[in-house]
Amino acid sequence: MLVHTLIICIVATLPRSGLSWSSFTPSMPIRTSATSIVRPRHDSKNSANIHMKVKVALVGLPNVGKSTLFNAIAQKSIAEAKNFPFCTIEPNITPVSIPDANLIPLANLAHSKKATPANIFLVDVAGLVKGASRGEGLGNKFLATVRECSLIVHVVRCYAYKNVIHVDGKVDPVADAEVVNLELLLADLSHVQRRLEKSSCIGEEREVLHKVVKGLEKGMPARSIGLSSDELSCIKSMGLLTLKPMIYAFNVDEVDFAFDKEGSIEMAESYIKQLRYSELATNLYLVVSAKFESELCMLPERERHAYLESIGLGSELGLELDERLSYNRLPLLVKEVLGLALVYTGPGVPPDRSQTTKSHILTSSLTVFHLAGKLHDDIQQGFMHAEVVKAADLIQYNTYNAAKESGVTRIEGKEYKLQGGDVVVIKWK
């Protein structure tokens, strides 16, 4: 009997836990190409797709720095950033690696020639303007693109460069954010009302959508209505924009970003407090400087230190500044908000059969048997048992066999539910 082995490592993080414009008074002014989704082999509500593509939409008014921030996070010039509205027409998309402290140690343990990180996919869409929910500007295309994404990053302009046009003639971060939030809400209201007009909308779905309409008509985003998990599941196919998690990205100038970290954070928190149905306990945000980060990331690594020195930033910032940059922080925030876990393949597989250690995104927990089926039908059909060891324990050894010989692994059956930090070797015949 031929016995095969496959090694998987899971690292989990807990999740964070008749309208018109006249109905809303803005808050007081203050100063790569992507591939298609890989479908699972089996359709099971109890299992998850380890190949699921997680797309994140960058939204905001025109000329708030979305495309510049997109390039900064991608660390290369992809999106055209120009000083006029609707510079972006067709959405730009690029993979963005999730920072992962376990990938390289696992690749070294496996003697892999290549380590491939898990990616989210960042989507830079056209700027949204007042009336987008009725098709103004590039509204229809914009909204359709956002509906396909798992999370929204709402870019809010906080800098006051006179040479960068503002669509309303003045920079007002709270009012600008309310414009975008209201357009998303109005689009959802129209979308739900159209669905309720159809005779096929019956039973629980109709009841839930009526509940959603009542909330939307009060100006409440769907995520704030308090829908149960069953209710959310019932209307999942609607792709409601205001049901998607949102992270605010407050785009400041390079001086505030580099020299006034605490002040920038206080400013961002004050904006959050003024936004409708937003609060610091539930709304995540980050302070970015798209222009500064983009210029820095376009430089070769060896030239970045000289650039920082030239603008008065020395090595004293070092790692602290790097950790504040969007290409590091945003993927980790997305991972946290969506409750993503990372799945690794490669370690434990003989070098002649695998030269790559690779991490994949897993969006929910599942049993080791379901995981086997996600990897290949043959693995699930021939499943015998799984060897399990914690990742933190495994990387203390030079090889998987050394860890096994020391007694840190254990045997689990097909019903075992994978836990954060598990390293699993599936044995199958």
Side-chain angles (χ1 to χ4, degrees):
M1 177 176 64
L2 180 62
V3 177
H4 304 273
T5 62
L6 181 69
I7 184 168
I8 311 296
C9 173
I10 310 290
V11 176
T13 52
L14 295 175
R16 297 270 309 207
S17 358
L19 291 178
S20 67
W21 270 96
S22 59
S23 306
F24 292 81
T25 303
S27 303
M28 180 180 66
I30 55 179
R31 59 136 197 123
T32 120
S33 65
T35 56
S36 59
I37 296 176
V38 179
R39 302 295 181 187
R41 291 178 177 270
H42 301 288
D43 183 14
S44 171
K45 65 180 181 180
N46 297 319
S47 59
N49 185 1
I50 65 170
H51 302 293
M52 179 176 288
K53 176 178 289 187
V54 176
K55 292 198 288 187
V56 175
L58 285 181
V59 308
L61 294 176
N63 285 14
V64 297
K66 297 186 307 300
S67 295
T68 305
L69 182 62
F70 177 90
N71 289 336
I73 297 171
Q75 298 190 73
K76 53 187 174 182
S77 182
I78 299 175
E80 186 177 17
K82 297 291 184 181
N83 186 21
F84 55 85
F86 307 118
C87 171
T88 300
I89 298 178
E90 293 299 327
N92 298 297
I93 184 168
T94 186
V96 178
S97 300
I98 298 177
D100 179 7
N102 289 314
L103 182 62
I104 297 303
L106 289 171
N108 290 337
L109 179 143
H111 301 290
S112 297
K113 293 182 178 179
K114 185 178 179 182
T116 304
N119 294 317
I120 60 172
F121 287 82
L122 193 64
V123 184
D124 173 34
V125 295
L128 181 149
V129 295
K130 188 181 297 186
S133 59
R134 303 187 303 274
E136 296 292 332
L138 298 172
N140 292 330
K141 177 175 290 192
F142 167 92
L143 297 171
T145 300
V146 178
R147 287 196 194 281
E148 298 173 354
C149 297
S150 304
L151 180 146
I152 294 172
V153 175
H154 185 166
V155 183
V156 181
R157 177 177 171 177
C158 302
Y159 60 87
Y161 296 144
K162 293 182 179 179
N163 61 335
V164 179
I165 298 169
H166 188 286
V167 290
D168 289 331
K170 64 176 181 177
V171 177
D172 185 341
V174 174
D176 290 351
E178 295 284 20
V179 169
V180 173
N181 288 342
L182 179 56
E183 288 301 330
L184 297 177
L185 187 147
L186 291 172
D188 274 354
L189 181 59
S190 177
H191 187 44
V192 171
Q193 288 174 334
R194 287 195 301 270
R195 176 59 184 155
L196 286 170
E197 292 172 357
K198 296 184 180 296
S199 59
S200 58
C201 182
I202 59 175
E204 185 180 4
E205 180 191 8
R206 177 168 287 273
E207 292 178 8
V208 176
L209 290 181
H210 275 301
K211 183 176 179 179
V212 171
V213 166
K214 289 180 180 179
L216 294 174
E217 288 178 337
K218 295 176 183 178
M220 184 182 298
R223 75 179 76 88
S224 299
I225 294 174
L227 300 177
S228 68
S229 57
D230 287 341
E231 289 174 325
L232 290 171
S233 178
C234 184
I235 62 170
K236 182 178 180 181
S237 62
M238 293 288 293
L240 296 181
L241 301 170
T242 63
L243 198 56
K244 299 179 185 297
M246 179 178 285
I247 297 173
Y248 287 95
F250 294 102
N251 189 13
V252 302
D253 62 34
E254 56 267 42
V255 175
D256 287 340
F257 182 82
F259 296 102
D260 190 16
K261 175 184 175 182
E262 296 303 323
S264 296
I265 291 174
E266 290 177 5
M267 175 191 67
E269 291 183 351
S270 74
Y271 295 162
I272 289 285
K273 291 175 182 177
Q274 295 178 69
L275 291 170
R276 295 174 183 269
Y277 298 101
S278 295
E279 53 187 63
L280 292 174
T282 56
N283 283 94
L284 289 184
Y285 71 90
L286 67 163
V287 175
V288 305
S289 180
K291 180 176 181 293
F292 169 72
E293 295 184 57
S294 178
E295 291 174 351
L296 184 63
C297 291
M298 296 304 154
L299 294 174
E301 194 73 36
R302 64 183 180 277
E303 296 179 18
R304 294 183 185 183
H305 178 72
Y307 172 75
L308 293 175
E309 292 281 2
S310 71
I311 61 173
L313 292 173
S315 57
E316 64 274 6
L317 285 175
L319 183 61
E320 190 270 341
L321 176 62
D322 193 61
E323 290 177 344
R324 288 172 56 198
L325 297 178
S326 303
Y327 77 87
N328 258 324
R329 292 196 61 209
L330 182 61
L332 291 175
L333 274 178
V334 171
K335 182 170 177 271
E336 179 181 0
V337 171
L338 297 180
L340 305 178
L342 296 180
V343 182
Y344 302 89
T345 57
V349 179
D352 60 333
R353 293 176 52 196
S354 175
Q355 298 289 321
T356 302
T357 291
K358 184 176 181 180
S359 58
H360 316 262
I361 290 177
L362 179 70
T363 55
S364 66
S365 61
L366 74 167
T367 67
V368 68
F369 184 69
H370 283 129
L371 177 60
K374 294 302 174 185
L375 296 170
H376 200 281
D377 287 341
D378 290 345
I379 297 175
Q380 187 177 58
Q381 291 170 6
F383 183 93
M384 295 169 58
H385 63 263
E387 295 175 358
V388 181
V389 58
K390 286 297 180 183
D393 294 331
L394 178 58
I395 60 179
Q396 301 302 315
Y397 296 85
N398 292 326
T399 66
Y400 179 82
N401 285 337
K404 183 176 179 180
E405 290 170 1
S406 71
V408 298
T409 63
R410 66 184 190 276
I411 302 297
E412 297 287 355
K414 63 171 64 177
E415 298 304 319
Y416 173 72
K417 291 185 178 180
L418 296 170
Q419 304 295 317
D422 280 350
V423 177
V424 181
V425 178
I426 299 176
K427 297 221 169 181
W428 56 288
K429 58 184 178 180

